[in-house]
Amino acid sequence: MSETTNYDVIVIGAGPGGYVAAIRAAQLGLKTACVDAFIGKEGKPALGGTCLNIGCIPSKALLDSSRQFHNLTHAFKDHGISADNARMDVPAMIARKDKIVKQFTGGISSLFKANKANPVTAIAGFATLKPGKVVSIKGHDGSVAEISAKNIILAPGSSPIELPFAKFDNQLILDNAGALDIESVPARLGVIGSGVIGLELGSVWRRLGSEVVILEALPEFLAAVDPDIAKAAAREFKKQGLDIKLGAKVSKTEIKGKQVVVTYTDASGEQTLTVDKLLVSVGRRAATGGLLAEGTGVQLDERGRVIVDEHCATGAEGVWAIGDCVRGPMLAHKASEEGIAVAELIAGLPGHVNLDTVPWVIYTEPEIAWVGKTEKELKDAGIPYKSGSFPFAAIGRAVAMGEPAGLVKILAHAETDRILGVHMCGANVSELIHEAVVAMEFHGSAEDLARICHAHPTLSEAVHEAALAVDKRAIHKAN
Ligand code: FAD
Ligand code: NAD
């Protein structure tokens, strides 16, 4: 590597934060390089970060394959469709997932070149920021090069938290990457952590026939989610056979032959659980190890995250940080929006991300989605609110689709009626939530949603009815 060029912008990390920032910077005429260390499944550098390689996209590919199989074996008979001897070809499912990943990671290389007048320079290797906005890059062949820029955007993302008593080997004890590449359906899958990854990937293997046992340390299920939504989802997960054990504190794991014996303590005392694979999904931490040399002026907080202000500025002149390595939710779309905002700020334009309207989605069945505040947050903040909810069981389209589970719940300010939070559980709520996001971005009220004509029959009628219910005037249920 003999790169010496100076850039306007160097982005460290090519995940949805970094690659989007790089594309936007190049669109704005800034000479941009994007350095990324990730090595894909084929042993070659791959752009796209966690999201495209071992996160959002591959997990959704497996969720969709497993959903199709589950519907074929469980739901289609209600529609009068029968298919005997349905079988799941797991290697074919994994190959489909890998093909999708390759399509999207390869697509970023093309997007980097798409702006012919000012393409993004992609550089493979591990980057360390040094004082003076110099970036030292260790190539995968061991070579070292230095480049510099007027602006640096740190976007190194995050990596899974490892428990000291359950070290990842990605054969028996798996992180998110390992759980996306299991070659055959394990008879019993253990999961530590009933958060987003545990529920999504646990659902994949449950639908394919695994017995799935999820051990969650907290006594409450989905503590960050609205309790009515969490309760409705828990009911459905139980019906699906996901065995979620709350208040289960794991203290030890032991490999015995081709199985893992997990020791945990719950209200009944010490228990053991023997599993064929164990997924550990207890959260992620900022991937800032080795990112910063001495003297850059960039500060990390107690959790290893880069400290930034509301505009993603680190306080060191010309150094910015975005995505999973900074405060706020660890979500791909939040990372991308921050990437765009920072590129625009560097170019002298206004750029801002409203963290209050970043939507969350958990892609289980039913899906869970929310935006804004929960009732607990409103109570804790002393904000007066009113609430309206509506079940999908009373929505014609949901019943016709065989998807009656779940509800929509809207929280609005008690005096101004402004929408403060919207919480959903049900089919396709990953799409429905955006009606709420738009309404909140425009400072809309529950009355605004209630007065908008929604097509019939659609799932979005549940949003309309929930908005009417805020004022106790839902039509298709008692208020
Ligand atoms: P990343 O995507 O982690 O990318 C960072 C990149 O920087 C990586 O390629 C890394 O190798 C590279 N890098 C790190 N350090 C250096 C360095 N020093 N030098 C060079 N390169 C470096 N979010 C959603 O919004 N929706 C979902 O459905 C969703 N599903 C997920 C499923 C799973 C299984 C997982 C694990 C995560 C999921 N997420 C999802 C979270 C999402 O993947 C992250 O929020 C998102 O990828 C963060 O983007 P980022 O750009 O900050 O970092
Ligand atoms: P998480 O924070 O969502 O959930 C971790 C769970 O593990 C929590 O319920 C926590 O109480 C529990 N836990 C922690 N330590 C434990 C222990 N020792 N024993 C038992 N339980 C323990 O973390 P995750 O599932 O690893 O996902 C990480 C992040 O990745 C998510 O928070 C999210 O930001 C992102 N992600 C998003 C999506 C999506 O948007 N659909 C999907 C996957 C991941």
Side-chain angles (χ1 to χ4, degrees), residues 59-202:
S59 60
K60 270 71 230 177
L62 298 190
L63 277 159
D64 203 62
S65 296
S66 60
R67 187 178 62 85
Q68 307 277 17
F69 180 71
H70 186 267
N71 284 344
L72 182 61
T73 49
H74 291 78
F76 283 179
K77 63 177 185 303
D78 285 351
H79 296 265
I81 303 166
S82 57
D84 294 334
N85 300 323
R87 281 176 301 108
M88 189 71 207
D89 180 344
V90 175
M93 174 182 80
I94 301 288
R96 173 183 180 272
K97 179 264 294 177
D98 290 342
K99 197 172 155 204
I100 293 166
V101 167
K102 202 172 165 191
Q103 179 188 337
F104 280 88
T105 56
I108 296 173
S109 305
S110 310
L111 290 171
F112 275 2
K113 293 177 203 140
N115 182 355
K116 291 200 178 60
N118 185 30
V120 175
T121 304
I123 303 173
F126 188 86
T128 301
L129 178 66
K130 294 169 59 172
K133 291 180 277 188
V134 173
V135 174
S136 166
I137 303 164
K138 186 155 192 237
H140 296 300
D141 58 0
S143 61
V144 177
E146 287 193 348
I147 55 177
S148 61
K150 295 187 193 98
N151 284 278
I152 307 290
I153 304 176
L154 305 171
S158 63
S159 45
I161 293 175
E162 192 171 55
L163 294 172
F165 47 80
K167 296 272 184 198
F168 298 126
D169 60 16
N170 273 340
Q171 297 296 317
L172 292 175
I173 301 184
L174 314 174
D175 62 12
N176 56 288
L180 293 165
D181 272 331
I182 301 177
E183 281 159 2
S184 60
V185 179
R188 185 187 278 163
L189 171 71
V191 179
I192 306 183
S194 75
V196 194
I197 294 179
L199 290 173
E200 288 188 357
L201 294 181

Side-chain angles (χ1 to χ4, degrees), residues 60 163 165 192-198 200 215-218 248-250 281-284 329-331 333 360-363:
K60 270 71 230 177
L163 294 172
F165 47 80
I192 306 183
S194 75
V196 194
I197 294 179
E200 288 188 357
L215 303 171
E216 166 61 48
L218 293 179
K249 297 201 169 53
V250 180
S281 49
V282 293
R284 297 177 65 81
M330 288 183 164
L331 296 172
H333 41 287
W360 272 87
V361 177
I362 306 179
Y363 296 83

Side-chain angles (χ1 to χ4, degrees), residues 9 11 13 17-27 30 32-34 112 118 120 153 339 343:
V9 180
V11 185
Y19 87 75
V20 169
I23 290 172
R24 185 70 188 119
Q27 281 175 354
L30 300 163
T32 305
C34 184
F112 275 2
N118 185 30
V120 175
I153 304 176

Side-chain angles (χ1 to χ4, degrees), residues 206-223:
R206 175 68 201 132
R207 292 169 191 172
L208 300 183
S210 289
E211 183 190 339
V212 175
V213 183
I214 304 183
L215 303 171
E216 166 61 48
L218 293 179
E220 202 182 332
F221 178 59
L222 284 177

